[in-house]
Amino acid sequence: MLDRMELLRLVERDAKLNSKEIAVMLGASVEEVEKELDFLVKEKIILGAKTEINWEKTDLESVVAMIEVRITPIRNKGYNHIANLISKYDKVKACYLMSGGFDLMIIYEDKNLKAVSSFVSDRIAPLEGVLSTTTHFVLKKYKDNGILFEDSSNDDRQAIIL
């Protein structure tokens, strides 16, 4: 019997794996793997495949912002209404309902600080129910989606002998 959770962990870790490689790793047949993958896609358990790119090593200039949004839920629509409106923008990479001092966390990527500022002031702040926003800018990415962006295994510290 195919272990669904292990299959999901494998494809989450490496979307480039093909059915034959997965079958060998799980001790299953290629047909079982393909049938299960089709089911997982159909049921929207697997939503897509992604390649992680270290954009800092390319010529692309962009800014990643984390935008905290405090809201008052709209009657009969709750938090979902505002979250769905914000999530429809292409440059919104993620939108989470949070516990704590704010309600939504938006991960937003654009070409520069001014573009992020315009998004917040022109698109988010005017929405009915939005009380306040706080924007944080990512200065450097060390790890994302479980992937280290720099090899920190080299210890360059100098020995001090007393």
Side-chain angles (χ1 to χ4, degrees), residues 7 16-26 28-35 37-38:
L7 171 63
K16 295 183 296 180
L17 290 173
N18 63 42
S19 298
K20 185 176 180 182
E21 293 169 323
I22 295 169
V24 169
M25 295 167 111
L26 296 178
S29 71
V30 174
E31 294 77 24
E32 282 180 295
V33 169
E34 289 175 350
K35 182 180 177 186
L37 287 171
D38 288 343

mmCIF file of all heavy atoms in Angstrom, residues 7 16-26 28-35 37-38:
data_model
loop_
_atom_site.group_PDB
_atom_site.id
_atom_site.type_symbol
_atom_site.label_atom_id
_atom_site.label_comp_id
_atom_site.label_asym_id
_atom_site.label_seq_id
_atom_site.Cartn_x
_atom_site.Cartn_y
_atom_site.Cartn_z
ATOM 1 N N LEU A 7 4.613 10.151 0.153
ATOM 2 C CA LEU A 7 4.557 10.637 -1.220
ATOM 3 C C LEU A 7 4.482 12.171 -1.237
ATOM 4 O O LEU A 7 5.223 12.836 -1.963
ATOM 5 C CB LEU A 7 3.352 10.044 -1.953
ATOM 6 C CG LEU A 7 3.036 10.621 -3.336
ATOM 7 C CD1 LEU A 7 4.174 10.367 -4.316
ATOM 8 C CD2 LEU A 7 1.741 10.048 -3.868
ATOM 9 N N LYS A 16 10.866 17.859 -8.929
ATOM 10 C CA LYS A 16 11.407 17.323 -10.180
ATOM 11 C C LYS A 16 11.396 15.807 -10.229
ATOM 12 O O LYS A 16 11.645 15.217 -11.274
ATOM 13 C CB LYS A 16 12.844 17.821 -10.393
ATOM 14 C CG LYS A 16 12.944 19.315 -10.594
ATOM 15 C CD LYS A 16 14.368 19.752 -10.878
ATOM 16 C CE LYS A 16 15.243 19.471 -9.714
ATOM 17 N NZ LYS A 16 16.644 19.858 -9.897
ATOM 18 N N LEU A 17 11.081 15.160 -9.115
ATOM 19 C CA LEU A 17 11.039 13.694 -9.113
ATOM 20 C C LEU A 17 9.965 13.202 -10.076
ATOM 21 O O LEU A 17 8.861 13.741 -10.114
ATOM 22 C CB LEU A 17 10.717 13.172 -7.710
ATOM 23 C CG LEU A 17 11.788 13.336 -6.643
ATOM 24 C CD1 LEU A 17 11.235 12.925 -5.288
ATOM 25 C CD2 LEU A 17 13.019 12.519 -6.982
ATOM 26 N N ASN A 18 10.296 12.167 -10.858
ATOM 27 C CA ASN A 18 9.278 11.595 -11.741
ATOM 28 C C ASN A 18 8.647 10.376 -11.074
ATOM 29 O O ASN A 18 9.106 9.905 -10.029
ATOM 30 C CB ASN A 18 9.877 11.260 -13.123
ATOM 31 C CG ASN A 18 10.962 10.207 -13.056
ATOM 32 O OD1 ASN A 18 10.853 9.215 -12.350
ATOM 33 N ND2 ASN A 18 12.047 10.425 -13.803
ATOM 34 N N SER A 19 7.604 9.867 -11.697
ATOM 35 C CA SER A 19 6.835 8.751 -11.119
ATOM 36 C C SER A 19 7.688 7.516 -10.875
ATOM 37 O O SER A 19 7.517 6.830 -9.866
ATOM 38 C CB SER A 19 5.662 8.388 -12.028
ATOM 39 O OG SER A 19 4.795 9.481 -12.135
ATOM 40 N N LYS A 20 8.618 7.256 -11.769
ATOM 41 C CA LYS A 20 9.476 6.076 -11.623
ATOM 42 C C LYS A 20 10.386 6.227 -10.405
ATOM 43 O O LYS A 20 10.532 5.289 -9.614
ATOM 44 C CB LYS A 20 10.308 5.873 -12.887
ATOM 45 C CG LYS A 20 11.131 4.614 -12.888
ATOM 46 C CD LYS A 20 11.867 4.419 -14.192
ATOM 47 C CE LYS A 20 12.697 3.144 -14.155
ATOM 48 N NZ LYS A 20 13.467 2.952 -15.379
ATOM 49 N N GLU A 21 10.987 7.397 -10.231
ATOM 50 C CA GLU A 21 11.860 7.635 -9.076
ATOM 51 C C GLU A 21 11.076 7.538 -7.770
ATOM 52 O O GLU A 21 11.538 6.947 -6.793
ATOM 53 C CB GLU A 21 12.518 9.017 -9.192
ATOM 54 C CG GLU A 21 13.508 9.136 -10.332
ATOM 55 C CD GLU A 21 13.936 10.561 -10.606
ATOM 56 O OE1 GLU A 21 13.093 11.480 -10.492
ATOM 57 O OE2 GLU A 21 15.124 10.752 -10.948
ATOM 58 N N ILE A 22 9.878 8.113 -7.767
ATOM 59 C CA ILE A 22 9.034 8.064 -6.566
ATOM 60 C C ILE A 22 8.649 6.620 -6.249
ATOM 61 O O ILE A 22 8.682 6.197 -5.088
ATOM 62 C CB ILE A 22 7.779 8.945 -6.749
ATOM 63 C CG1 ILE A 22 8.178 10.414 -6.874
ATOM 64 C CG2 ILE A 22 6.798 8.733 -5.607
ATOM 65 C CD1 ILE A 22 7.053 11.328 -7.309
ATOM 66 N N ALA A 23 8.304 5.852 -7.278
ATOM 67 C CA ALA A 23 7.912 4.454 -7.082
ATOM 68 C C ALA A 23 9.040 3.662 -6.432
ATOM 69 O O ALA A 23 8.804 2.887 -5.493
ATOM 70 C CB ALA A 23 7.511 3.830 -8.421
ATOM 71 N N VAL A 24 10.259 3.878 -6.891
ATOM 72 C CA VAL A 24 11.408 3.173 -6.306
ATOM 73 C C VAL A 24 11.585 3.580 -4.850
ATOM 74 O O VAL A 24 11.798 2.735 -3.974
ATOM 75 C CB VAL A 24 12.700 3.469 -7.119
ATOM 76 C CG1 VAL A 24 13.928 2.975 -6.389
ATOM 77 C CG2 VAL A 24 12.607 2.842 -8.506
ATOM 78 N N MET A 25 11.475 4.870 -4.566
ATOM 79 C CA MET A 25 11.670 5.361 -3.200
ATOM 80 C C MET A 25 10.599 4.847 -2.237
ATOM 81 O O MET A 25 10.863 4.648 -1.046
ATOM 82 C CB MET A 25 11.682 6.889 -3.193
ATOM 83 C CG MET A 25 12.860 7.473 -3.951
ATOM 84 S SD MET A 25 12.632 9.222 -4.217
ATOM 85 C CE MET A 25 13.894 9.873 -3.166
ATOM 86 N N LEU A 26 9.391 4.645 -2.748
ATOM 87 C CA LEU A 26 8.279 4.202 -1.895
ATOM 88 C C LEU A 26 8.030 2.694 -1.955
ATOM 89 O O LEU A 26 7.157 2.187 -1.243
ATOM 90 C CB LEU A 26 6.992 4.943 -2.281
ATOM 91 C CG LEU A 26 6.988 6.453 -2.061
ATOM 92 C CD1 LEU A 26 5.674 7.055 -2.531
ATOM 93 C CD2 LEU A 26 7.244 6.782 -0.601
ATOM 94 N N ALA A 28 6.727 1.095 -4.509
ATOM 95 C CA ALA A 28 5.409 0.937 -5.131
ATOM 96 C C ALA A 28 5.580 0.846 -6.637
ATOM 97 O O ALA A 28 6.673 1.047 -7.166
ATOM 98 C CB ALA A 28 4.524 2.135 -4.770
ATOM 99 N N SER A 29 4.497 0.562 -7.334
ATOM 100 C CA SER A 29 4.558 0.529 -8.794
ATOM 101 C C SER A 29 4.366 1.940 -9.347
ATOM 102 O O SER A 29 3.780 2.811 -8.694
ATOM 103 C CB SER A 29 3.471 -0.393 -9.356
ATOM 104 O OG SER A 29 2.196 0.196 -9.178
ATOM 105 N N VAL A 30 4.851 2.139 -10.558
ATOM 106 C CA VAL A 30 4.703 3.434 -11.227
ATOM 107 C C VAL A 30 3.220 3.765 -11.388
ATOM 108 O O VAL A 30 2.796 4.910 -11.190
ATOM 109 C CB VAL A 30 5.423 3.429 -12.597
ATOM 110 C CG1 VAL A 30 5.149 4.712 -13.361
ATOM 111 C CG2 VAL A 30 6.924 3.231 -12.408
ATOM 112 N N GLU A 31 2.408 2.755 -11.705
ATOM 113 C CA GLU A 31 0.977 2.956 -11.892
ATOM 114 C C GLU A 31 0.311 3.442 -10.596
ATOM 115 O O GLU A 31 -0.537 4.332 -10.624
ATOM 116 C CB GLU A 31 0.294 1.660 -12.375
ATOM 117 C CG GLU A 31 0.711 1.215 -13.764
ATOM 118 C CD GLU A 31 2.097 0.547 -13.810
ATOM 119 O OE1 GLU A 31 2.564 0.012 -12.784
ATOM 120 O OE2 GLU A 31 2.721 0.597 -14.878
ATOM 121 N N GLU A 32 0.698 2.832 -9.470
ATOM 122 C CA GLU A 32 0.147 3.263 -8.171
ATOM 123 C C GLU A 32 0.488 4.726 -7.905
ATOM 124 O O GLU A 32 -0.361 5.501 -7.469
ATOM 125 C CB GLU A 32 0.733 2.431 -7.027
ATOM 126 C CG GLU A 32 0.162 1.060 -6.839
ATOM 127 C CD GLU A 32 0.837 0.354 -5.674
ATOM 128 O OE1 GLU A 32 2.048 0.072 -5.759
ATOM 129 O OE2 GLU A 32 0.137 0.111 -4.668
ATOM 130 N N VAL A 33 1.745 5.091 -8.155
ATOM 131 C CA VAL A 33 2.199 6.462 -7.909
ATOM 132 C C VAL A 33 1.435 7.432 -8.798
ATOM 133 O O VAL A 33 0.933 8.459 -8.334
ATOM 134 C CB VAL A 33 3.726 6.581 -8.129
ATOM 135 C CG1 VAL A 33 4.158 8.039 -8.144
ATOM 136 C CG2 VAL A 33 4.477 5.799 -7.064
ATOM 137 N N GLU A 34 1.326 7.125 -10.087
ATOM 138 C CA GLU A 34 0.633 8.029 -11.014
ATOM 139 C C GLU A 34 -0.846 8.167 -10.663
ATOM 140 O O GLU A 34 -1.406 9.261 -10.713
ATOM 141 C CB GLU A 34 0.817 7.550 -12.452
ATOM 142 C CG GLU A 34 2.242 7.768 -12.928
ATOM 143 C CD GLU A 34 2.528 7.193 -14.306
ATOM 144 O OE1 GLU A 34 1.684 6.437 -14.848
ATOM 145 O OE2 GLU A 34 3.613 7.493 -14.835
ATOM 146 N N LYS A 35 -1.476 7.057 -10.279
ATOM 147 C CA LYS A 35 -2.882 7.102 -9.878
ATOM 148 C C LYS A 35 -3.053 7.981 -8.640
ATOM 149 O O LYS A 35 -3.967 8.810 -8.572
ATOM 150 C CB LYS A 35 -3.394 5.683 -9.613
ATOM 151 C CG LYS A 35 -4.848 5.617 -9.230
ATOM 152 C CD LYS A 35 -5.289 4.177 -8.993
ATOM 153 C CE LYS A 35 -6.733 4.145 -8.532
ATOM 154 N NZ LYS A 35 -7.164 2.806 -8.150
ATOM 155 N N LEU A 37 -0.983 10.382 -7.539
ATOM 156 C CA LEU A 37 -0.687 11.777 -7.883
ATOM 157 C C LEU A 37 -1.870 12.427 -8.591
ATOM 158 O O LEU A 37 -2.226 13.574 -8.290
ATOM 159 C CB LEU A 37 0.575 11.869 -8.753
ATOM 160 C CG LEU A 37 1.900 11.618 -8.039
ATOM 161 C CD1 LEU A 37 3.035 11.520 -9.049
ATOM 162 C CD2 LEU A 37 2.179 12.688 -6.997
ATOM 163 N N ASP A 38 -2.492 11.706 -9.511
ATOM 164 C CA ASP A 38 -3.679 12.232 -10.200
ATOM 165 C C ASP A 38 -4.798 12.535 -9.205
ATOM 166 O O ASP A 38 -5.447 13.575 -9.287
ATOM 167 C CB ASP A 38 -4.186 11.228 -11.252
ATOM 168 C CG ASP A 38 -3.272 11.135 -12.464
ATOM 169 O OD1 ASP A 38 -2.441 12.049 -12.661
ATOM 170 O OD2 ASP A 38 -3.388 10.146 -13.208
#
